[in-house]
């Protein structure tokens, strides 16, 4: 089986970049990145540039970018899931802020770094290996799971 696609999103796709990361896809995003920098990054790291900028898309070699037509992040995800067959891949989530890989963190390690209520009520934690942000299965987990289900079903 081939490796999962790696992406880079331009400034217009910031929310979609965060969702791709939560779905486990290595996705570069920096809202200050210039077009030339994105092109160089994508070609150097074998990433697919996701953009809504027609001129930027046309300046890339064939297959090195995807012009995203949908406007809303949910529809963008569905469009990308269908185009890249993302539904066939099950990857561990990545940090939604910095794209780093997540690793399990013992409850004792996060003491004082999460809200007291979260510390009392949760037992499972993950920490980003890069920025050290801590994640836990909060109330938002159900919404994330539902969106992932919708995206996966849209590919069927």
């Amino acid at each position: 089986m081939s490796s999962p696609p790696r992406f880079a999103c331009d400034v217009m796709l910031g929310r979609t970049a965060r969702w791709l990361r939560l779905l486990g896809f290595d996705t570069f995003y920096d809202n200050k990145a210039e077009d030339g920098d994105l092109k160089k990054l994508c070609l150097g790291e074998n990433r697919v540039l996701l953009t809504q900028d027609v001129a930027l898309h046309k300046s890339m070699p064939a297959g090195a970018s995807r012009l995203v037509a949908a406007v809303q992040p949910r529809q963008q995800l569905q469009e990308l899931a269908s185009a890249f067959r993302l539904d066939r891949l099950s990857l561990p989530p990545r940090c939604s802020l910095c794209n780093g890989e997540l690793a399990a963190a013992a409850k004792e390690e996060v003491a004082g770094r999460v809200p007291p209520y979260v510390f009392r009520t949760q037992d499972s934690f993950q920490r980003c290996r890069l920025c050290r942000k801590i994640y836990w299965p909060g109330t938002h987990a159900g919404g994330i799971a539902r969106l992932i289900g919708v995206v996966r079903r849209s590919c069927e």
Side-chain angles (χ1 to χ4, degrees):
M1 184 165 126
S2 63
S3 301
R6 299 173 71 214
F7 300 110
C9 293
D10 73 2
V11 69
M12 294 180 266
L13 298 173
R15 289 180 63 199
T16 300
R18 291 182 74 151
W19 279 106
L20 285 168
R21 290 171 175 173
L22 289 172
L23 287 167
F25 294 95
D26 182 347
T27 306
F28 174 86
Y29 176 76
D30 180 348
N31 65 356
K32 293 175 179 56
E34 300 287 331
D35 290 356
D37 297 328
L38 286 171
K39 288 169 63 171
K40 185 176 178 180
L41 174 82
C42 288
L43 297 175
E45 296 185 4
N46 195 30
R47 292 179 181 273
V48 176
L49 176 61
L50 304 176
T51 184
Q52 292 186 313
D53 182 331
V54 174
L56 178 58
H57 170 66
K58 287 183 176 180
S59 74
M60 295 290 289
S65 68
R66 168 79 185 190
L67 187 62
V68 179
V71 176
Q72 297 299 318
R74 176 183 232 151
Q75 284 74 37
Q76 290 169 348
L77 279 175
Q78 290 173 317
E79 177 183 335
L80 296 170
S82 179
F84 292 98
R85 294 297 311 182
L86 302 182
D87 61 309
R88 63 185 167 80
L89 303 169
S90 181
L91 305 169
R94 298 177 75 91
C95 179
S96 65
L97 296 180
C98 78
N99 195 41
E101 293 179 349
L102 302 182
K107 186 169 184 167
E108 303 77 43
E109 295 174 29
V110 303
R113 300 196 58 215
V114 297
Y117 176 79
V118 170
F119 188 76
R120 281 194 318 274
T121 60
Q122 299 296 317
D123 293 315
S124 177
F125 296 92
Q126 290 186 304
R127 181 180 9 224
C128 175
R129 293 176 190 244
L130 294 178
C131 74
R132 313 301 283 171
K133 178 176 172 53
I134 299 169
Y135 291 85
W136 60 90
T139 56
H140 59 281
I144 291 170
R146 280 190 294 282
L147 179 60
I148 290 170
V150 166
V151 169
R152 291 192 189 286
R153 284 189 300 279
S154 72
C155 296
E156 295 173 350

